[in-house]
């Protein structure tokens, strides 16, 4: 997940991304960003954050917990803002989407 | 980008009673086996042995599989469970049925209690089949795991129906064949049709998920489904119209081919897994597959050499080594997540919380694993060499594994919510 430096919301998106690093997948013990679950962050003025993301398994029983963790993680840095989580199944998540840091945390390679 | 609605997790209060009752029946089975250890060298048709086997297969194996299925069906079928109240009703029928059946076998009270218990179990199986069949779509390739589950539930229903007839036959004999021949069909329909089919079907989806691997070749799963059900159907028809004989090993061969295909399916999944280091629950589950393979030589011995201990060895390797071994591991890949989800779903991400793996004791799990393995090894030696005291010792060690499991499952179920971690903690528990 990359954020373009010329993005008008660069700073806010970076702050959102930092917050999402705090959301841990309870099964894999790795944050959702390094797992490659977060596909897109969109800021809509004046106070809306839209996260487009997926889950490692469609209809994972822990999906609701991860979704609520995203909202909870964003709250302290963005008081008064509305956060929306859009869970999508396309493109399908595969282990190839795990970042090098995520692979390291999982003990891969 | 179009998003699809997420299915809702099946309620914790629907699933948890199955796990709690399953753990207690597992302990009961282990105590009954330990008590009946002296009978393991004799014929398998003995009241105490039958009571222990039914406590294990129904109270433990089937109970946990019912609960886990209600939790996993929405994941496998990508939709909500068809009917949660029906699942709760099935628990009461299953639980009461097992209590009556195990009690009536132990005291060999044929008639009302035995037939009553068997009838309640039959109703539980019908309710389970309805819930499985009505959850999700029917596309064979996309929903192959569901096809395994539906066929497994249908075989369970057949097994229960035959069991009901056998309970009536013990009270008022009406079978044209020997009761023991019916019992063999009953046992194999249960083991291969229900347990094997359910475990292979669900594993084909769950193992790639737990091991972080690519999904296997699903075309193979279609073949496995066909071989397994075909082989078993032929065996049952042969049992009805022809009768026992060494030729029945052909059907065992067809089922063994299904197992071989499954190994071919799962091997690349295992080899290409990203999670190289297996945690203890996975290690326990993978070890159990070894006992499924090791049960086949025991089956061969029952046909080739006279001696009831081989049939008992075959049954125990399947029940203790494979089915129990798998559940002993898989419980801790499912139960802690169910409990954790209930307690922490809303507060996850707010601050540091215990993770699902913190809900059970790793030490108890290791002790359970290291009791499970030697007890089965000793049991094999004891049965092959007919050493009575060694059977007692092996089942004593097995009892230790059962105690570890029950304590650990109890610890997980009774977990109290601890949040926030600092200050006034908001405590609540499921029990």
């Amino acid at each position: 997940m990359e954020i373009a430096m010329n993005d008008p919301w660069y700073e806010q998106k970076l702050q959102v991304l930092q917050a999402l690093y705090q959301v841990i997948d309870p099964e894999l013990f790795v944050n959702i960003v390094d797992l490659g679950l977060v596909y897109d962050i969109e800021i809509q003025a004046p106070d809306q954050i839209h996260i487009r993301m997926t889950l490692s398994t469609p209809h994972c029983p822990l999906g609701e917990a991860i979704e609520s963790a995203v909202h909870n993680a964003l709250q302290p840095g963005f008081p008064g803002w509305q956060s929306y989580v859009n869970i999508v199944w396309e493109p399908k998540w595969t282990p190839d989407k795990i970042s090098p840091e995520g692979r390291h945390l999982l003990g891969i390679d | 980008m179009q998003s699809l609605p997420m299915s809702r997790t099946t309620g914790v209060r629907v699933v948890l009673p199955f796990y709690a009752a399953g753990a207690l029946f597992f302990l009961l089975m282990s105590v009954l086996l330990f008590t009946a250890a002296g009978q393991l060298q004799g014929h398998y048709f003995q009241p105490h042995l039958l009571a222990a086997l039914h406590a294990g297969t129904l109270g433990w194996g089937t109970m946990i599989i019912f609960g886990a299925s209600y939790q996993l069906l929405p994941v496998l079928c990508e939709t909500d469970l068809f009917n949660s109240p029906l699942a709760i009703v099935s628990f009461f029928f299953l639980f009461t049925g097992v209590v009556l059946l195990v009690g009536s076998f132990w005291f060999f009270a044929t008639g009302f209690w035995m037939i009553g218990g068997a009838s309640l179990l039959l109703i539980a199986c019908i309710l389970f089949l309805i819930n499985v069949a009505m959850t999700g779509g029917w596309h064979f390739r996309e929903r192959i795991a569901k096809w395994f589950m539906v066929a497994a539930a249908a075989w369970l229903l057949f097994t229960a129906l035959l069991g009901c007839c056998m309970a009536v036959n013990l009270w008022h004999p009406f079978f044209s064949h020997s009761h023991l021949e019916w019992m063999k069909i009953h046992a194999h329909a249960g083991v291969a049709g229900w347990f094997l089919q359910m475990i292979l079907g669900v594993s084909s989806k769950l193992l790639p998920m737990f091991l972080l691997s690519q999904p296997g070749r699903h075309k193979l799963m279609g073949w496995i489904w066909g071989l397994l059900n075909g082989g078993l159907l032929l065996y049952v028809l042969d049992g009805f119209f022809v009768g026992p004989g060494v030729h029945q090993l052909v059907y065992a061969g067809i089922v063994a081919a299904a197992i071989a295909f499954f190994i071919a399916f799962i091997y690349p999944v295992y080899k290409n897994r990203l999670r190289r280091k297996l945690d203890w629950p996975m290690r326990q589950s993978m070890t159990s597959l070894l006992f499924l393979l090791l049960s086949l030589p025991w089956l061969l011995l029952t046909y080739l050499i006279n001696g009831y201990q081989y049939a008992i060895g075959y049954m125990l390797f399947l029940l203790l080594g494979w089915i129990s071994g798998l559940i002993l591991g898989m419980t801790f890949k499912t139960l802690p997540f169910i409990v954790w989800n209930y307690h922490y779903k809303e507060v996850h991400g707010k601050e540091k919380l215990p993770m699902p793996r913190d809900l059970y004791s790793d030490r108890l799990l290791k002790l359970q694993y290291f009791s499970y393995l030697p007890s089965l090894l000793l049991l094999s030696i004891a049965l092959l060499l007919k050493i009575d005291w060694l059977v007692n010792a092996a089942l004593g060690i097995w009892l230790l594994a059962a105690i570890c499991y029950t304590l650990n499952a109890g610890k997980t179920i009774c977990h109290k919510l601890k949040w926030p971690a600092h200050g006034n903690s908001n405590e609540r528990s499921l029990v």
Side-chain angles (χ1 to χ4, degrees):
Chain A
M1 156 97 229
E2 286 176 4
I3 303 168
M5 285 190 75
N6 59 357
D7 190 310
W9 297 99
Y10 177 74
E11 274 185 32
Q12 287 84 349
K13 284 189 178 180
L14 206 61
Q15 200 183 338
V16 169
L17 197 63
Q18 287 303 323
L20 295 183
Y21 272 107
Q22 309 308 313
V23 178
I24 305 294
D25 181 308
E27 155 70 2
L28 300 170
F29 317 115
V30 177
N31 66 76
I32 58 171
V33 179
D34 280 319
L35 282 175
L37 298 176
V38 179
Y39 287 165
D40 190 32
I41 297 167
E42 197 186 325
I43 308 280
Q44 284 180 6
D47 57 1
Q48 289 185 12
I49 304 167
H50 293 260
I51 311 285
R52 189 165 61 86
M53 61 173 291
T54 192
L55 300 171
S56 56
T57 305
H59 303 272
C60 167
L62 295 173
E64 288 172 69
I66 293 175
E67 189 179 336
S68 93
V70 169
H71 294 296
N72 291 336
L74 292 172
Q75 237 171 27
F78 297 88
W81 285 53
Q82 288 292 317
S83 54
Y84 299 91
V85 177
N86 189 11
I87 305 276
V88 298
W89 308 117
E90 291 292 336
K92 194 179 173 189
W93 181 86
T94 60
D96 305 334
K97 295 195 191 308
I98 303 173
S99 72
E101 179 61 20
R103 295 173 76 86
H104 174 72
L105 289 169
L106 282 166
I108 304 165
D109 301 333
Chain B
M1 175 61 67
Q2 184 73 36
S3 73
L4 295 170
M6 265 202 302
S7 62
R8 277 164 301 170
T9 315
T10 308
V12 69
R13 292 187 195 281
V14 175
V15 177
L16 227 51
F18 289 94
Y19 279 91
L24 292 176
F25 277 119
F26 177 50
L27 191 60
L28 175 71
M29 174 199 76
S30 306
V31 171
L32 295 183
L33 268 180
F34 184 69
T35 315
Q39 299 175 9
L40 288 187
Q41 305 280 13
H43 197 283
Y44 47 82
F45 193 83
Q46 296 188 59
H48 289 181
L49 214 48
L50 290 173
L53 285 176
H54 283 86
T57 51
L58 293 168
W60 158 237
T62 301
M63 186 73 77
I64 298 276
I65 290 179
F66 268 36
S69 299
Y70 292 138
Q71 180 72 26
L72 294 171
L73 258 171
V75 182
L76 300 178
C77 298
E78 301 179 8
T79 185
D80 291 349
L81 182 70
F82 169 64
N83 194 312
S84 289
L86 207 62
I88 297 171
V89 175
S90 76
F91 169 77
F92 288 107
F93 279 104
L94 182 62
F95 183 86
T96 320
V98 176
V99 170
L100 289 183
L101 197 69
V102 170
S104 59
F105 271 128
W106 186 263
F107 299 107
F108 210 65
T110 57
F112 178 77
W113 294 111
M114 195 178 280
I115 297 168
S119 307
L120 294 179
L121 288 167
L122 191 65
I123 297 170
C125 297
I126 293 169
L127 299 180
F128 180 74
L129 178 60
I130 293 171
N131 236 338
V132 175
M134 300 298 286
T135 302
W138 285 96
H139 192 283
F140 188 75
R141 281 187 66 185
E142 282 176 18
R143 295 280 174 265
I144 185 73
K146 181 190 162 169
W147 278 77
F148 271 86
M149 291 179 87
V150 171
W155 278 111
L156 177 67
L157 184 58
F158 171 75
T159 309
L161 190 64
L162 202 54
C164 244
C165 295
M166 288 164 68
V168 175
N169 190 58
L170 282 176
W171 175 56
H172 265 301
F174 70 97
F175 283 170
S176 53
H177 291 38
S178 137
H179 189 91
L180 292 181
E181 290 310 320
W182 290 102
M183 203 166 105
K184 281 181 192 165
I185 297 176
H186 169 73
H188 282 100
V191 167
W194 164 236
F195 284 115
L196 181 63
Q197 181 141 235
M198 179 61 92
I199 290 168
L200 296 191
V202 173
S203 303
S204 71
K205 270 275 199 180
L206 290 192
L207 284 180
M209 195 170 110
F210 289 143
L211 295 172
L212 266 188
S213 188
Q214 300 288 354
R217 290 161 56 204
H218 274 270
K219 206 174 175 184
L220 267 180
M221 289 309 291
W223 279 98
I224 295 166
W225 191 87
L227 282 170
L228 189 55
N229 288 297
L232 197 57
L233 198 63
L234 286 173
Y235 170 75
V236 171
L237 291 174
D238 185 287
F240 275 122
F241 299 112
V242 182
V246 180
H247 69 279
Q248 287 184 328
L249 281 174
V250 173
Y251 313 123
I254 298 175
V255 173
I259 298 173
F261 272 45
F262 183 74
I263 292 168
F265 170 87
I266 216 67
Y267 181 69
V269 172
Y270 182 77
K271 201 180 162 200
N272 298 323
R273 72 191 190 278
L274 286 181
R275 293 183 99 173
R276 303 311 296 177
K277 197 177 169 204
L278 296 183
D279 54 20
W280 283 99
M282 277 312 285
R283 209 173 290 190
Q284 166 79 65
S285 305
M286 297 307 280
T287 309
S288 73
L289 296 178
L290 194 69
F291 286 96
L292 172 63
L293 297 178
L294 288 176
S295 70
L296 296 175
W298 284 97
L299 176 66
L300 209 61
L301 287 175
T302 59
Y303 277 97
L304 301 178
I305 307 173
N306 279 334
Y308 295 120
Q309 77 271 30
Y310 303 118
I312 289 181
Y314 170 59
M315 283 191 292
L316 290 181
F317 257 54
L318 286 174
L319 177 62
L320 304 185
W322 172 51
I323 298 168
S324 298
L326 191 69
I327 299 174
L328 287 174
M330 276 299 144
T331 296
F332 298 101
K333 292 300 279 183
T334 50
L335 181 63
F337 291 89
I338 295 165
V339 176
W340 184 91
N341 212 22
Y342 170 76
H343 285 304
Y344 300 112
K345 187 168 70 181
E346 303 297 332
V347 292
H348 181 36
K350 283 197 173 171
E351 68 170 278
K352 202 166 162 32
L353 296 171
M355 285 283 111
R357 69 173 172 191
D358 299 322
L359 270 55
Y360 61 84
S361 157
D362 234 23
R363 286 173 73 179
L364 276 175
L365 201 61
K366 283 180 200 167
L367 187 58
Q368 170 199 296
Y369 184 73
F370 288 114
S371 316
Y372 159 84
L373 273 182
S375 71
L376 288 168
L377 183 71
L378 289 179
L379 194 61
S380 321
I381 298 169
L383 288 175
L384 286 172
L385 303 179
K386 291 190 170 184
I387 308 171
D388 283 341
W389 67 265
L390 201 54
V391 173
N392 282 304
L395 291 175
I397 299 172
W398 179 267
L399 193 54
L400 178 65
I403 292 169
C404 290
Y405 173 85
T406 311
L407 287 175
N408 227 357
K411 177 182 159 71
T412 310
I413 293 169
C414 297
H415 174 80
K416 282 195 168 82
L417 177 133
K418 287 174 189 144
W419 183 85
H422 309 290
N424 296 327
S425 70
N426 175 8
E427 285 211 351
R428 69 169 173 175
S429 74
L430 272 161
V431 287

